């Protein structure tokens, strides 16, 4: 289930989702054409932690 999206100026973005079975949150990273180029799991982390990571990516603080 999609929760939120964070966009960079270059058109790439990070999408925070929740696994409906495990209730854990993760991030899917998309390129400027909407293609997935990375997925990052955050076992045991709270939603705000995962959203902060996605926002840091959008701000250029977090690099992949």
């Amino acid at each position: 289930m999609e929760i939120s999206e964070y966009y960079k100026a270059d058109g790439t973005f990070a999408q925070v989702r929740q696994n409906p079975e495990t209730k854990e949150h993760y991030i899917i990273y998309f390129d400027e054409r909407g293609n997935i180029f990375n997925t990052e799991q955050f076992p045991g982390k709270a939603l705000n932690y995962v959203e902060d990571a996605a926002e840091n990516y959008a701000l250029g603080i977090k690099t992949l």
Side-chain angles (χ1 to χ4, degrees), residues 4 11 15 21-22 28 34-35 37 42 44 59:
S4 56
Q15 189 177 80
E21 295 174 10
T22 65
I28 298 177
N35 299 314
F37 71 86
F42 294 86
L59 295 172

Side-chain angles (χ1 to χ4, degrees), residues 12-64:
T12 62
F13 64 99
Q15 189 177 80
V16 176
R17 293 185 180 182
Q18 181 183 41
N19 182 320
E21 295 174 10
T22 65
K23 303 297 185 204
E24 291 193 338
H25 300 95
Y26 60 100
I27 301 174
I28 298 177
Y29 298 93
F30 295 86
D31 66 18
E32 61 281 349
R33 291 176 294 207
N35 299 314
I36 296 172
F37 71 86
N38 195 18
T39 301
E40 189 173 16
Q41 304 291 324
F42 294 86
K45 299 295 184 183
L47 174 59
N48 63 335
Y49 182 94
V50 180
E51 287 187 313
D52 285 349
E55 184 176 22
N56 286 342
Y57 169 76
L59 295 172
I61 298 167
K62 177 182 178 69
T63 58
L64 300 176

